mmCIF file of all heavy atoms in Angstrom:
data_model
loop_
_atom_site.group_PDB
_atom_site.id
_atom_site.type_symbol
_atom_site.label_atom_id
_atom_site.label_comp_id
_atom_site.label_asym_id
_atom_site.label_seq_id
_atom_site.Cartn_x
_atom_site.Cartn_y
_atom_site.Cartn_z
ATOM 1 N N LEU A 129 109.802 99.632 161.273
ATOM 2 C CA LEU A 129 109.169 100.230 160.102
ATOM 3 C C LEU A 129 109.451 101.724 160.047
ATOM 4 O O LEU A 129 109.750 102.279 158.976
ATOM 5 C CB LEU A 129 107.659 99.971 160.138
ATOM 6 C CG LEU A 129 106.813 100.620 159.027
ATOM 7 C CD1 LEU A 129 107.326 100.210 157.653
ATOM 8 C CD2 LEU A 129 105.357 100.227 159.184
ATOM 9 N N ALA A 130 109.360 102.403 161.179
ATOM 10 C CA ALA A 130 109.615 103.844 161.205
ATOM 11 C C ALA A 130 111.064 104.164 160.845
ATOM 12 O O ALA A 130 111.348 105.135 160.131
ATOM 13 C CB ALA A 130 109.282 104.403 162.585
ATOM 14 N N GLU A 131 112.001 103.340 161.311
ATOM 15 C CA GLU A 131 113.425 103.600 161.079
ATOM 16 C C GLU A 131 113.826 103.349 159.630
ATOM 17 O O GLU A 131 114.662 104.054 159.065
ATOM 18 C CB GLU A 131 114.272 102.738 162.009
ATOM 19 C CG GLU A 131 115.770 102.985 161.874
ATOM 20 C CD GLU A 131 116.591 102.123 162.823
ATOM 21 O OE1 GLU A 131 115.976 101.416 163.656
ATOM 22 O OE2 GLU A 131 117.837 102.169 162.736
ATOM 23 N N HIS A 132 113.205 102.330 159.007
ATOM 24 C CA HIS A 132 113.629 101.925 157.659
ATOM 25 C C HIS A 132 112.489 102.055 156.647
ATOM 26 O O HIS A 132 112.429 101.295 155.683
ATOM 27 C CB HIS A 132 114.115 100.471 157.686
ATOM 28 C CG HIS A 132 115.233 100.214 158.653
ATOM 29 N ND1 HIS A 132 116.531 100.629 158.424
ATOM 30 C CD2 HIS A 132 115.234 99.588 159.867
ATOM 31 C CE1 HIS A 132 117.291 100.264 159.450
ATOM 32 N NE2 HIS A 132 116.534 99.635 160.339
ATOM 33 N N GLU A 133 111.599 103.026 156.856
ATOM 34 C CA GLU A 133 110.384 103.106 156.034
ATOM 35 C C GLU A 133 110.692 103.215 154.549
ATOM 36 O O GLU A 133 110.083 102.523 153.722
ATOM 37 C CB GLU A 133 109.514 104.282 156.474
ATOM 38 C CG GLU A 133 108.210 104.385 155.698
ATOM 39 C CD GLU A 133 107.251 105.420 156.283
ATOM 40 O OE1 GLU A 133 107.543 105.948 157.372
ATOM 41 O OE2 GLU A 133 106.226 105.678 155.640
ATOM 42 N N ALA A 134 111.642 104.070 154.159
ATOM 43 C CA ALA A 134 111.930 104.275 152.734
ATOM 44 C C ALA A 134 112.407 102.978 152.089
ATOM 45 O O ALA A 134 111.949 102.606 150.991
ATOM 46 C CB ALA A 134 112.969 105.380 152.564
ATOM 47 N N LEU A 135 113.288 102.279 152.756
ATOM 48 C CA LEU A 135 113.810 101.024 152.204
ATOM 49 C C LEU A 135 112.698 99.982 152.109
ATOM 50 O O LEU A 135 112.572 99.279 151.093
ATOM 51 C CB LEU A 135 114.963 100.523 153.077
ATOM 52 C CG LEU A 135 115.649 99.225 152.636
ATOM 53 C CD1 LEU A 135 117.139 99.263 152.972
ATOM 54 C CD2 LEU A 135 115.016 98.016 153.335
ATOM 55 N N ILE A 136 111.887 99.877 153.148
ATOM 56 C CA ILE A 136 110.823 98.872 153.178
ATOM 57 C C ILE A 136 109.792 99.142 152.092
ATOM 58 O O ILE A 136 109.374 98.232 151.358
ATOM 59 C CB ILE A 136 110.166 98.837 154.569
ATOM 60 C CG1 ILE A 136 111.146 98.265 155.597
ATOM 61 C CG2 ILE A 136 108.878 98.015 154.546
ATOM 62 C CD1 ILE A 136 110.695 98.438 157.039
ATOM 63 N N VAL A 137 109.368 100.399 151.955
ATOM 64 C CA VAL A 137 108.363 100.736 150.943
ATOM 65 C C VAL A 137 108.887 100.420 149.547
ATOM 66 O O VAL A 137 108.147 99.943 148.684
ATOM 67 C CB VAL A 137 107.967 102.222 151.063
ATOM 68 C CG1 VAL A 137 107.146 102.674 149.864
ATOM 69 C CG2 VAL A 137 107.191 102.460 152.351
ATOM 70 N N ALA A 138 110.179 100.673 149.329
ATOM 71 C CA ALA A 138 110.764 100.443 148.003
ATOM 72 C C ALA A 138 110.867 98.964 147.661
ATOM 73 O O ALA A 138 110.707 98.577 146.490
ATOM 74 C CB ALA A 138 112.142 101.098 147.929
ATOM 75 N N HIS A 139 111.117 98.112 148.651
ATOM 76 C CA HIS A 139 111.443 96.714 148.354
ATOM 77 C C HIS A 139 110.402 95.710 148.840
ATOM 78 O O HIS A 139 110.408 94.558 148.386
ATOM 79 C CB HIS A 139 112.811 96.358 148.961
ATOM 80 C CG HIS A 139 113.933 97.143 148.377
ATOM 81 N ND1 HIS A 139 114.535 96.793 147.187
ATOM 82 C CD2 HIS A 139 114.557 98.286 148.809
ATOM 83 C CE1 HIS A 139 115.487 97.678 146.905
ATOM 84 N NE2 HIS A 139 115.521 98.588 147.869
ATOM 85 N N ALA A 140 109.509 96.111 149.735
ATOM 86 C CA ALA A 140 108.574 95.146 150.308
ATOM 87 C C ALA A 140 107.695 94.442 149.273
ATOM 88 O O ALA A 140 107.395 93.255 149.446
ATOM 89 C CB ALA A 140 107.703 95.822 151.376
ATOM 90 N N PRO A 141 107.239 95.108 148.191
ATOM 91 C CA PRO A 141 106.401 94.371 147.228
ATOM 92 C C PRO A 141 107.069 93.111 146.684
ATOM 93 O O PRO A 141 106.388 92.110 146.429
ATOM 94 C CB PRO A 141 106.147 95.413 146.129
ATOM 95 C CG PRO A 141 106.192 96.721 146.838
ATOM 96 C CD PRO A 141 107.270 96.559 147.872
ATOM 97 N N SER A 142 108.386 93.148 146.551
ATOM 98 C CA SER A 142 109.078 91.957 146.051
ATOM 99 C C SER A 142 109.102 90.840 147.085
ATOM 100 O O SER A 142 109.324 89.668 146.741
ATOM 101 C CB SER A 142 110.510 92.316 145.639
ATOM 102 O OG SER A 142 111.286 92.678 146.782
ATOM 103 N N TRP A 143 108.857 91.176 148.357
ATOM 104 C CA TRP A 143 108.886 90.163 149.405
ATOM 105 C C TRP A 143 107.652 89.258 149.348
ATOM 106 O O TRP A 143 107.593 88.252 150.046
ATOM 107 C CB TRP A 143 108.957 90.817 150.788
ATOM 108 C CG TRP A 143 110.209 91.619 151.006
ATOM 109 C CD1 TRP A 143 111.293 91.693 150.196
ATOM 110 C CD2 TRP A 143 110.486 92.488 152.111
ATOM 111 N NE1 TRP A 143 112.234 92.542 150.714
ATOM 112 C CE2 TRP A 143 111.769 93.052 151.893
ATOM 113 C CE3 TRP A 143 109.787 92.849 153.251
ATOM 114 C CZ2 TRP A 143 112.359 93.944 152.778
ATOM 115 C CZ3 TRP A 143 110.372 93.737 154.139
ATOM 116 C CH2 TRP A 143 111.646 94.282 153.908
ATOM 117 N N ALA A 144 106.653 89.627 148.538
ATOM 118 C CA ALA A 144 105.476 88.770 148.402
ATOM 119 C C ALA A 144 105.849 87.405 147.841
ATOM 120 O O ALA A 144 105.124 86.419 148.025
ATOM 121 C CB ALA A 144 104.433 89.436 147.514
ATOM 122 N N THR A 145 106.979 87.330 147.134
ATOM 123 C CA THR A 145 107.509 86.044 146.681
ATOM 124 C C THR A 145 108.294 85.420 147.826
ATOM 125 O O THR A 145 109.316 85.962 148.268
ATOM 126 C CB THR A 145 108.436 86.231 145.464
ATOM 127 O OG1 THR A 145 107.695 86.860 144.418
ATOM 128 C CG2 THR A 145 108.969 84.891 144.993
ATOM 129 N N VAL A 146 107.831 84.290 148.322
ATOM 130 C CA VAL A 146 108.440 83.666 149.500
ATOM 131 C C VAL A 146 109.827 83.133 149.142
ATOM 132 O O VAL A 146 109.999 82.461 148.107
ATOM 133 C CB VAL A 146 107.562 82.513 150.015
ATOM 134 C CG1 VAL A 146 108.207 81.848 151.235
ATOM 135 C CG2 VAL A 146 106.168 83.032 150.357
ATOM 136 N N PRO A 147 110.842 83.434 149.955
ATOM 137 C CA PRO A 147 112.194 82.904 149.689
ATOM 138 C C PRO A 147 112.196 81.376 149.605
ATOM 139 O O PRO A 147 111.513 80.694 150.381
ATOM 140 C CB PRO A 147 112.999 83.396 150.891
ATOM 141 C CG PRO A 147 112.249 84.601 151.380
ATOM 142 C CD PRO A 147 110.807 84.300 151.131
ATOM 143 N N GLU A 148 112.977 80.845 148.669
ATOM 144 C CA GLU A 148 113.003 79.390 148.452
ATOM 145 C C GLU A 148 113.427 78.643 149.705
ATOM 146 O O GLU A 148 112.942 77.541 149.975
ATOM 147 C CB GLU A 148 113.957 79.062 147.302
ATOM 148 C CG GLU A 148 113.432 79.482 145.939
ATOM 149 C CD GLU A 148 114.342 78.971 144.818
ATOM 150 O OE1 GLU A 148 115.207 78.092 145.102
ATOM 151 O OE2 GLU A 148 114.201 79.456 143.683
ATOM 152 N N ARG A 149 114.334 79.219 150.483
ATOM 153 C CA ARG A 149 114.902 78.493 151.615
ATOM 154 C C ARG A 149 113.890 78.163 152.699
ATOM 155 O O ARG A 149 114.137 77.315 153.550
ATOM 156 C CB ARG A 149 116.066 79.291 152.220
ATOM 157 C CG ARG A 149 115.653 80.617 152.861
ATOM 158 C CD ARG A 149 116.858 81.315 153.498
ATOM 159 N NE ARG A 149 116.464 82.555 154.169
ATOM 160 C CZ ARG A 149 116.372 83.730 153.568
ATOM 161 N NH1 ARG A 149 116.632 83.820 152.273
ATOM 162 N NH2 ARG A 149 116.016 84.812 154.249
ATOM 163 N N ILE A 150 112.717 78.836 152.714
ATOM 164 C CA ILE A 150 111.741 78.563 153.771
ATOM 165 C C ILE A 150 110.459 77.929 153.240
ATOM 166 O O ILE A 150 109.528 77.683 154.013
ATOM 167 C CB ILE A 150 111.391 79.843 154.565
ATOM 168 C CG1 ILE A 150 110.619 80.834 153.684
ATOM 169 C CG2 ILE A 150 112.638 80.476 155.154
ATOM 170 C CD1 ILE A 150 110.051 81.996 154.473
ATOM 171 N N ARG A 151 110.388 77.671 151.940
ATOM 172 C CA ARG A 151 109.131 77.172 151.376
ATOM 173 C C ARG A 151 108.758 75.791 151.895
ATOM 174 O O ARG A 151 107.581 75.423 151.902
ATOM 175 C CB ARG A 151 109.221 77.147 149.850
ATOM 176 C CG ARG A 151 109.235 78.546 149.243
ATOM 177 C CD ARG A 151 109.364 78.528 147.745
ATOM 178 N NE ARG A 151 109.482 79.889 147.221
ATOM 179 C CZ ARG A 151 109.697 80.178 145.943
ATOM 180 N NH1 ARG A 151 109.807 79.196 145.049
ATOM 181 N NH2 ARG A 151 109.798 81.426 145.559
ATOM 182 N N ASP A 152 109.734 75.014 152.329
ATOM 183 C CA ASP A 152 109.447 73.675 152.843
ATOM 184 C C ASP A 152 109.438 73.619 154.367
ATOM 185 O O ASP A 152 109.324 72.537 154.945
ATOM 186 C CB ASP A 152 110.493 72.677 152.300
ATOM 187 C CG ASP A 152 110.401 72.532 150.800
ATOM 188 O OD1 ASP A 152 109.278 72.638 150.272
ATOM 189 O OD2 ASP A 152 111.449 72.337 150.162
ATOM 190 N N ASP A 153 109.559 74.782 154.997
ATOM 191 C CA ASP A 153 109.573 74.871 156.457
ATOM 192 C C ASP A 153 108.246 75.494 156.901
ATOM 193 O O ASP A 153 108.075 76.713 156.826
ATOM 194 C CB ASP A 153 110.763 75.703 156.912
ATOM 195 C CG ASP A 153 110.921 75.732 158.441
ATOM 196 O OD1 ASP A 153 109.915 75.516 159.153
ATOM 197 O OD2 ASP A 153 112.042 76.010 158.907
ATOM 198 N N ALA A 154 107.295 74.670 157.354
ATOM 199 C CA ALA A 154 105.947 75.151 157.659
ATOM 200 C C ALA A 154 105.971 76.239 158.719
ATOM 201 O O ALA A 154 105.254 77.250 158.619
ATOM 202 C CB ALA A 154 105.062 73.991 158.120
ATOM 203 N N GLN A 155 106.799 76.055 159.751
ATOM 204 C CA GLN A 155 106.838 77.038 160.833
ATOM 205 C C GLN A 155 107.409 78.365 160.346
ATOM 206 O O GLN A 155 106.876 79.437 160.641
ATOM 207 C CB GLN A 155 107.663 76.500 161.994
ATOM 208 C CG GLN A 155 107.625 77.385 163.229
ATOM 209 C CD GLN A 155 108.351 76.753 164.405
ATOM 210 O OE1 GLN A 155 108.993 75.707 164.272
ATOM 211 N NE2 GLN A 155 108.246 77.375 165.566
ATOM 212 N N ALA A 156 108.499 78.286 159.594
ATOM 213 C CA ALA A 156 109.111 79.505 159.067
ATOM 214 C C ALA A 156 108.181 80.192 158.077
ATOM 215 O O ALA A 156 108.084 81.424 158.036
ATOM 216 C CB ALA A 156 110.445 79.179 158.403
ATOM 217 N N LEU A 157 107.459 79.395 157.289
ATOM 218 C CA LEU A 157 106.536 79.943 156.312
ATOM 219 C C LEU A 157 105.394 80.694 157.007
ATOM 220 O O LEU A 157 104.980 81.772 156.578
ATOM 221 C CB LEU A 157 105.978 78.816 155.445
ATOM 222 C CG LEU A 157 105.137 79.232 154.242
ATOM 223 C CD1 LEU A 157 105.943 80.092 153.295
ATOM 224 C CD2 LEU A 157 104.608 78.004 153.520
ATOM 225 N N GLU A 158 104.895 80.155 158.115
ATOM 226 C CA GLU A 158 103.820 80.803 158.852
ATOM 227 C C GLU A 158 104.296 82.129 159.440
ATOM 228 O O GLU A 158 103.577 83.141 159.395
ATOM 229 C CB GLU A 158 103.328 79.885 159.965
ATOM 230 C CG GLU A 158 102.143 80.464 160.744
ATOM 231 C CD GLU A 158 101.604 79.488 161.771
ATOM 232 O OE1 GLU A 158 101.991 78.296 161.726
ATOM 233 O OE2 GLU A 158 100.805 79.926 162.619
ATOM 234 N N ARG A 159 105.526 82.150 159.981
ATOM 235 C CA ARG A 159 106.064 83.380 160.542
ATOM 236 C C ARG A 159 106.274 84.419 159.446
ATOM 237 O O ARG A 159 106.024 85.618 159.647
ATOM 238 C CB ARG A 159 107.384 83.100 161.255
ATOM 239 C CG ARG A 159 107.236 82.260 162.520
ATOM 240 C CD ARG A 159 108.601 81.918 163.112
ATOM 241 N NE ARG A 159 109.323 83.113 163.512
ATOM 242 C CZ ARG A 159 110.646 83.172 163.659
ATOM 243 N NH1 ARG A 159 111.382 82.098 163.403
ATOM 244 N NH2 ARG A 159 111.228 84.275 164.042
ATOM 245 N N TYR A 160 106.699 83.977 158.275
ATOM 246 C CA TYR A 160 106.917 84.898 157.165
ATOM 247 C C TYR A 160 105.583 85.496 156.711
ATOM 248 O O TYR A 160 105.467 86.703 156.465
ATOM 249 C CB TYR A 160 107.581 84.158 155.998
ATOM 250 C CG TYR A 160 108.093 85.081 154.910
ATOM 251 C CD1 TYR A 160 109.327 85.705 155.032
ATOM 252 C CD2 TYR A 160 107.343 85.327 153.770
ATOM 253 C CE1 TYR A 160 109.810 86.554 154.045
ATOM 254 C CE2 TYR A 160 107.803 86.167 152.777
ATOM 255 C CZ TYR A 160 109.043 86.779 152.921
ATOM 256 O OH TYR A 160 109.512 87.624 151.938
ATOM 257 N N ALA A 161 104.540 84.654 156.631
ATOM 258 C CA ALA A 161 103.217 85.145 156.219
ATOM 259 C C ALA A 161 102.659 86.136 157.230
ATOM 260 O O ALA A 161 102.050 87.146 156.860
ATOM 261 C CB ALA A 161 102.265 83.965 156.057
ATOM 262 N N GLU A 162 102.881 85.867 158.515
ATOM 263 C CA GLU A 162 102.415 86.784 159.547
ATOM 264 C C GLU A 162 103.100 88.136 159.389
ATOM 265 O O GLU A 162 102.446 89.197 159.484
ATOM 266 C CB GLU A 162 102.706 86.208 160.934
ATOM 267 C CG GLU A 162 102.241 87.119 162.076
ATOM 268 C CD GLU A 162 102.577 86.569 163.457
ATOM 269 O OE1 GLU A 162 103.186 85.478 163.531
ATOM 270 O OE2 GLU A 162 102.234 87.243 164.443
ATOM 271 N N MET A 163 104.414 88.121 159.140
ATOM 272 C CA MET A 163 105.146 89.371 158.944
ATOM 273 C C MET A 163 104.599 90.129 157.738
ATOM 274 O O MET A 163 104.374 91.354 157.802
ATOM 275 C CB MET A 163 106.635 89.084 158.750
ATOM 276 C CG MET A 163 107.494 90.328 158.539
ATOM 277 S SD MET A 163 107.554 90.922 156.816
ATOM 278 C CE MET A 163 108.527 89.624 156.042
ATOM 279 N N LEU A 164 104.343 89.431 156.649
ATOM 280 C CA LEU A 164 103.868 90.100 155.440
ATOM 281 C C LEU A 164 102.517 90.783 155.659
ATOM 282 O O LEU A 164 102.309 91.924 155.239
ATOM 283 C CB LEU A 164 103.751 89.095 154.295
ATOM 284 C CG LEU A 164 105.035 88.710 153.558
ATOM 285 C CD1 LEU A 164 104.721 87.722 152.447
ATOM 286 C CD2 LEU A 164 105.724 89.942 152.977
ATOM 287 N N MET A 165 101.587 90.087 156.292
ATOM 288 C CA MET A 165 100.261 90.669 156.490
ATOM 289 C C MET A 165 100.320 91.859 157.446
ATOM 290 O O MET A 165 99.667 92.876 157.230
ATOM 291 C CB MET A 165 99.280 89.619 157.001
ATOM 292 C CG MET A 165 98.777 88.677 155.916
ATOM 293 S SD MET A 165 98.114 89.530 154.464
ATOM 294 C CE MET A 165 96.856 90.571 155.182
ATOM 295 N N ARG A 166 101.112 91.738 158.493
ATOM 296 C CA ARG A 166 101.243 92.862 159.428
ATOM 297 C C ARG A 166 101.889 94.049 158.724
ATOM 298 O O ARG A 166 101.467 95.205 158.885
ATOM 299 C CB ARG A 166 102.067 92.437 160.644
ATOM 300 C CG ARG A 166 102.097 93.498 161.750
ATOM 301 C CD ARG A 166 102.882 93.011 162.951
ATOM 302 N NE ARG A 166 102.256 91.860 163.572
ATOM 303 C CZ ARG A 166 101.229 91.933 164.419
ATOM 304 N NH1 ARG A 166 100.707 93.115 164.712
ATOM 305 N NH2 ARG A 166 100.733 90.844 164.951
ATOM 306 N N LEU A 167 102.916 93.776 157.913
ATOM 307 C CA LEU A 167 103.609 94.839 157.207
ATOM 308 C C LEU A 167 102.700 95.480 156.158
ATOM 309 O O LEU A 167 102.665 96.699 155.996
ATOM 310 C CB LEU A 167 104.881 94.286 156.553
ATOM 311 C CG LEU A 167 105.724 95.303 155.783
ATOM 312 C CD1 LEU A 167 106.209 96.411 156.722
ATOM 313 C CD2 LEU A 167 106.917 94.608 155.118
ATOM 314 N N ALA A 168 101.940 94.652 155.435
ATOM 315 C CA ALA A 168 101.048 95.182 154.405
ATOM 316 C C ALA A 168 100.014 96.114 155.012
ATOM 317 O O ALA A 168 99.745 97.194 154.480
ATOM 318 C CB ALA A 168 100.367 94.035 153.662
ATOM 319 N N SER A 169 99.425 95.710 156.140
ATOM 320 C CA SER A 169 98.424 96.555 156.801
ATOM 321 C C SER A 169 99.054 97.860 157.277
ATOM 322 O O SER A 169 98.471 98.942 157.120
ATOM 323 C CB SER A 169 97.804 95.811 157.987
ATOM 324 O OG SER A 169 97.099 94.669 157.549
ATOM 325 N N ALA A 170 100.266 97.773 157.870
ATOM 326 C CA ALA A 170 100.937 98.969 158.371
ATOM 327 C C ALA A 170 101.285 99.919 157.227
ATOM 328 O O ALA A 170 101.155 101.147 157.354
ATOM 329 C CB ALA A 170 102.199 98.583 159.137
ATOM 330 N N CYS A 171 101.696 99.368 156.097
ATOM 331 C CA CYS A 171 102.039 100.208 154.947
ATOM 332 C C CYS A 171 100.804 100.898 154.376
ATOM 333 O O CYS A 171 100.862 102.058 153.968
ATOM 334 C CB CYS A 171 102.728 99.371 153.873
ATOM 335 S SG CYS A 171 104.437 98.912 154.273
ATOM 336 N N VAL A 172 99.682 100.186 154.345
ATOM 337 C CA VAL A 172 98.443 100.801 153.867
ATOM 338 C C VAL A 172 98.074 101.988 154.755
ATOM 339 O O VAL A 172 97.679 103.055 154.268
ATOM 340 C CB VAL A 172 97.295 99.765 153.829
ATOM 341 C CG1 VAL A 172 95.950 100.459 153.636
ATOM 342 C CG2 VAL A 172 97.532 98.762 152.714
#
């Protein structure tokens, strides 16, 4: 996050839409949700 903060802040809101390729993969979906919540808290 520290290394790529500008890029992440600019594009992370669009990541709230889950990529189609993982929507049917429960394990991948859980890991993606964990990343989003951790990232959202860190950005706040």
Side-chain angles (χ1 to χ4, degrees):
L129 176 56
E131 182 179 354
H132 303 286
E133 182 171 352
L135 181 146
I136 291 169
V137 169
H139 297 278
S142 67
W143 297 352
T145 301
V146 179
E148 289 187 13
R149 66 177 183 273
I150 68 170
R151 290 178 185 175
D152 295 327
D153 185 336
Q155 187 175 7
L157 188 60
E158 183 176 348
R159 292 175 62 202
Y160 191 83
E162 180 182 1
M163 180 276 290
L164 280 181
M165 282 308 304
R166 187 178 296 279
L167 181 61
S169 296
C171 286
V172 167

